[in-house]
Structure formats: C-alpha cells, structure tokens
Amino acid sequence: MKRVLFAGLFHETHTFLDGITGLNDFQVLRGNELLLRMGDSSPLGGALESAREFGWNVLPAIDYRASPSATVDDEVVEHFWSELKSVIQPPIDAVFLILHGAMVSKRIVDVEGEILDRLRRMISPAIPIFGVFDLHANFTQRMAEHANCLVAYRENPHTDARQAAKLAAGLLQRTMTTGKMPRMFWRHPPLMWPPTGTGTAVDPMCSLERLARDLENKSPNFWAVSVCAGFSFADTPDTGVSFAVATIGDEYEAQKALSELADLAMDKKSDGNVLDPPRDEVFARLNPLPSGLTVLVEPSDNIGGGAPGDGTGLLRALIKNSIANAAIAINDPQAIRELSKLPIGNKTTISLGGRSSRLDAGPFTLEVELQRFGSGQFQLEDKQSHLASMNGDSFDMGQSAVVHHGSLTILITSNKTPPFDLGQWRSQGIEPTKLSVIVVKAAVAHRAAYDPIASRMLWVDTPGPCTSNLRRLPYHKIQRPIFPLD
Ligand SMILES: [Zn+2]
C-alpha cells in the first residue's frame, strides 16, 4: 500500500485590506478529522475519494483554511509548518496538497512556495509532491521548482474544484504505478486582470483554457497545463496571470507551450481588463423597472475576493432611487446584536454596514421592520458550486436577520457569506426568483447560481477594496512594467 501524506493550506490573501488574518480566523482540521471530508463536495473530499479508489494508505496531516481576507500573520505559517513537519514520518511514498496559491503573510510574499521549498528540503527528491490549487493563484517559480505536479481548477466559477483534485490524484497514481516523475515549468507574462475579467465562459480565459487543453492533448509528455488567472488584490512580485506545465518531456517543449499561452494572453490582455460602469448610469436603466429579475453585481465588495460584504454603496442607491421589490445582503454582526433584542414585527432605527472599509461612506442609518431572526446555517443547493470548492456541503452565515425597509428586503448576517448559492436566501424564507432586483457582492463566481434565474445582470462600480479598476490600488512590490498599470 502506498503511503500518501495529505495536507491542505487555503487562503486567498487581499493585501490591500486593513488588519491581519490570524490563527483564530483559520478553520483547522488535524489527523483523522481530515478523513471525515471523504466524499464531500470539497477538493479535499474528492482527493480522499480517489485515494480510497486507488487503495492508498492516507496519512492525514493538517488542513488550514480561511475565507479570503487581509494579510496573514506569520505565526499562522509557522504553526502550519511545525504541525506539518511533526507528522512527516518516513517512509512516505508521496505528498498530496490542497492549496489555494495566493497566500501572503507579513514576511512571506509567496507562502505556498516557501512551504513547498521547506517540504522539499525535508524529503527526498524521489518522493513526488502533487496537488490541486485554485485558478486564482499567483503562481511562482518557487512553487514550480519544488513541486512535481500541481493542477489548477479549470473553471471560474469553480464548479470543477473537486474534479480537478481527483484529476491531480489520478496523475499521482500514474507516477506511483509507472515510476515516471513529472516536473513543472512556469511563465508569467507582464499582465494582470481584475477578477471580473477571469470568468472562463468568456475570453480571454475561455480561449486560454481551450489552448491549454489542446496542448495537453497534442503532447503525451504534458500531464497538466494550468492557466492561473492570478489574484490582483495582492501586492507581490509575481501577482498576475501565469501558466504552469507539468511534464515528463524536455524543457524546450514546455517553454514552447508556455510561449504560446503567454502570447495569446498578451494578445487578449485588454479583453480581461473589465471595468464596471458608474452607479448613476446603471440605475438609469432601472427606471422604469424592467420585467424579470435584475441582478446588480458589486465587484468592489466581492466577498469571495476578501471584501467585507458590508459596503453601503448599492444599499444607498437602491433607497435613493426607490427601487421596489429589491433585496440585498449586508454582513454586520454589530447590527445583529442590536436586533437580537427586538421582537419580530417591531420597527427600529439601525446603523447598517459601512464599518469595515475606509473606502465606504460609513454606516447607513435607516428604519427597518424585523421579519425574521435566527440561525443562518444552510445546506448548499448546488454541491458543485464555487462555495463548495471553499467550504464543502454547508455554510454558516451565523445569527442572521431579515428586515424590511419599505419593499426593500435586507438579509443581515454575522459571517460574511459569498453569494454563490441560492440556499443563502431560501433558508431565510426569501425566494430570489420573486424579486425584481437583487444585489450580489461578487465578480464572477456568483454566476453559476444566478445566471439561471436572472433576466439581466448589470455590473456596478462602487467604492470598495475589490474594485475592478486596478489603477486605484497602491501597488509597491509588483514587478513593473505590468498591464494595466503601465
Ligand atoms: Zn478562485
């Protein structure tokens, strides 16, 4: 039986946010706790399922994961490493990692590269290091150098995260049965895109993914060709779009493929720099209110990208423009504490949202009527959703409240909740298909859930830390020149 060490490290770090993401913000699984994820909808669950099919002897180490947020405390990285190190007991036949690929700590700009480097120093070069990672990774030369085969998700929204993990596990099985050991090559053309430009249903990502699959099909040496869209809200030298090839062939062949991918990305660079129209322009299209459901997308407060989910830009605009039959979710644990004392059906005046970002206009004061108060735990309706790639089968919004202000419905949560699953609304008695307007604080990843119910989807520019206009962000460490800054 092959002994395969399993570990996970998952954080998408937004380095322009205030504050620090500490150890307490991470959900940690240790030892046999990892095995409980077997078969669930997460990448870890998928990889463990493959391990069982292949008859591996899984050595479950640790899994650290947190929602996208501010720069990580160095202590988290050192804790992770010391825990991982302590469970590496030879003999081990392989290592399988569940990574994000865009984690930054105060001192380390490339946490995954650092961990892979330390891991490689500890174990023999003959031991394969395989794994799966998020399409939004800021991949690096160091990651490529110290891993044998890391496979990116191929879809954004990440409907295939579990599948990508199973693909990577299948490739590790290939190495363990054939003895063939791939190595990785990487290329980073001088460009980055905001998250709004990284959906795989459209260009440039659609063409890049297609070319990556063509390259895999044409060369039997290529085990995995990964397109990394990058995470532009991190100020690191390697932030941006890049490509990684895991191959058993020679370097020349890999570099040729990387050139093709980089050239195509440069050709289509402007297509990926998607900017959002201003509020007034978008709200003019809502008067008169068109029929069917209009989804207003607010990328600057994109929870999946690390934003606080309490921005008041669109809340204010909905009220100012008297938009009827609309709904918005705002994360505000302080408002929840205030509402916890109010009987259902009563009215009160609260200050809502606007507490977490310097770019917001601040808390918005309004009178609301409390309709519902209680648990925000819900089961995902779509077990292949982007949310499942981060959290598995269920999500906890914490204590949550539904309030009304006129015909506006506001879902207030205690835990910020990426709007990637309609169970968020339905679990609270709100039927999204019956609304005229719904706000989602996202860029692209909401589309798997909302495309089927939306009559139209309008992106809106508001002040917030996940702005699609990258020129507004104060980069210092990123390699210059880079598109679209230069
Ligand atoms: Zn992602």
Side-chain angles (χ1 to χ4, degrees):
M1 251 180 150
K2 296 290 185 186
R3 286 164 58 87
V4 182
L5 185 98
F6 268 63
L9 181 62
F10 195 92
H11 188 253
E12 187 175 70
T13 308
H14 190 317
T15 67
F16 298 105
L17 291 174
D18 296 334
I20 284 288
T21 303
L23 207 47
N24 289 337
D25 298 309
F26 278 78
Q27 188 192 334
V28 179
L29 301 176
R30 294 184 175 88
N32 289 335
E33 287 171 348
L34 271 78
L35 301 180
L36 299 175
R37 304 301 293 271
M38 167 94 69
D40 84 358
S41 42
S42 67
L44 174 60
L48 286 168
E49 189 179 78
S50 294
R52 186 173 51 189
E53 286 160 18
F54 298 136
W56 297 347
N57 180 9
V58 171
L59 308 173
I62 40 167
D63 182 83
Y64 277 43
R65 59 189 52 243
S67 297
S69 50
T71 302
V72 176
D73 200 341
D74 291 322
E75 179 198 43
V76 176
V77 181
E78 297 313 325
H79 260 268
F80 174 85
W81 174 245
S82 68
E83 288 201 65
L84 180 62
K85 202 168 61 171
S86 70
V87 292
I88 301 176
Q89 310 270 2
I92 288 172
D93 294 301
V95 175
F96 192 90
L97 301 171
I98 316 285
L99 301 173
H100 184 283
M103 182 165 173
V104 182
S105 77
K106 277 197 270 187
R107 198 174 53 79
I108 306 168
V109 287
D110 170 20
V111 172
E112 290 88 349
E114 171 79 18
I115 294 294
L116 283 162
D117 192 335
R118 292 186 194 182
L119 190 59
R120 190 45 100 192
R121 283 168 208 262
M122 255 192 89
I123 63 174
S124 146
I127 294 175
I129 299 177
F130 277 56
V132 65
F133 67 98
D134 192 288
L135 168 148
H136 293 105
N138 288 321
F139 210 85
T140 65
Q141 179 59 34
R142 214 168 170 206
M143 292 186 217
E145 221 169 283
H146 299 293
N148 296 100
C149 179
L150 301 175
V151 180
Y153 311 158
R154 282 128 188 235
E155 305 278 345
N156 182 27
H158 305 327
T159 50
D160 69 324
R162 185 174 197 279
Q163 203 49 44
K166 289 183 70 88
L167 172 65
L171 296 174
L172 174 55
Q173 175 69 359
R174 193 192 287 178
T175 282
M176 292 194 294
T177 50
T178 64
K180 286 184 176 151
M181 185 79 120
R183 53 189 177 143
M184 297 193 78
F185 296 96
W186 171 80
R187 181 83 60 88
H188 171 37
L191 77 141
M192 63 175 165
W193 291 316
T196 38
T198 64
T200 50
V202 293
D203 265 357
M205 286 298 286
C206 180
S207 293
L208 289 168
E209 289 289 352
R210 198 181 311 124
L211 176 55
R213 299 295 82 74
D214 283 352
L215 290 164
E216 278 172 352
N217 292 334
K218 269 192 266 171
S219 171
N221 290 329
F222 292 167
W223 284 18
V225 178
S226 292
V227 179
C228 313
F231 184 62
S232 42
F233 303 136
D235 187 17
T236 79
D238 294 312
T239 293
V241 178
S242 72
F243 306 96
V245 176
T247 175
I248 54 168
D250 60 23
E251 176 164 3
Y252 176 77
E253 186 189 27
Q255 294 294 356
K256 199 163 155 275
L258 290 169
S259 294
E260 260 188 76
L261 287 159
D263 289 348
L264 181 60
M266 289 305 282
D267 281 350
K268 291 182 177 288
K269 65 182 180 186
S270 298
D271 296 348
N273 192 35
V274 177
L275 300 180
D276 309 309
R279 254 177 301 187
D280 291 349
E281 200 176 288
V282 174
F283 276 83
R285 294 180 61 183
L286 299 181
N287 184 21
L289 205 55
S291 67
L293 173 64
T294 300
V295 173
L296 294 180
V297 186
E298 189 179 19
S300 79
D301 199 18
N302 173 10
I303 297 170
D310 76 341
T312 60
L314 281 188
L315 174 65
R316 289 168 195 275
L318 287 172
I319 290 169
K320 183 181 155 205
N321 292 279
S322 310
I323 302 296
N325 193 28
I328 184 171
I330 298 279
N331 188 59
D332 192 339
Q334 189 173 320
I336 287 291
R337 278 194 295 278
E338 285 168 29
L339 288 167
S340 66
K341 298 164 208 140
L342 191 73
I344 302 287
N346 280 34
K347 286 188 176 177
T348 188
T349 298
I350 55 169
S351 302
L352 190 59
R355 301 182 207 281
S356 311
S357 167
R358 273 181 284 167
L359 303 170
D360 198 86
F364 182 55
T365 303
L366 75 172
E367 187 183 58
V368 296
E369 182 182 319
L370 182 63
Q371 200 210 340
R372 184 185 175 112
F373 192 94
S375 163
Q377 177 88 33
F378 68 93
Q379 288 296 312
L380 267 53
E381 291 184 6
D382 176 7
K383 299 274 188 336
Q384 285 189 321
S385 75
H386 203 94
L387 198 53
S389 77
M390 300 156 84
N391 286 80
D393 292 350
S394 67
F395 193 91
D396 188 4
M397 301 189 284
Q399 289 270 294
S400 297
V402 178
V403 300
H404 288 300
H405 174 86
S407 75
L408 171 65
T409 301
I410 309 173
L411 168 60
I412 309 173
T413 59
S414 303
N415 299 331
K416 58 181 190 172
T417 306
F420 304 157
D421 192 282
L422 299 178
Q424 173 182 18
W425 299 105
R426 293 193 175 126
S427 66
Q428 303 301 310
I430 301 162
E431 178 47 49
T433 55
K434 293 198 173 133
L435 294 162
S436 301
V437 174
I438 194 161
V439 170
V440 299
K441 293 172 178 292
V444 171
H446 62 284
R447 295 196 62 165
Y450 287 90
D451 275 353
I453 63 166
S455 298
R456 69 199 60 75
M457 207 168 265
L458 307 176
W459 276 256
V460 195
D461 185 25
T462 57
C466 288
T467 173
S468 299
N469 188 347
L470 300 179
R471 287 163 176 266
R472 285 190 200 149
L473 297 169
Y475 292 94
H476 298 294
K477 295 181 184 160
I478 200 165
Q479 266 177 33
R480 309 292 287 257
I482 193 162
F483 175 86
L485 303 185
D486 303 302

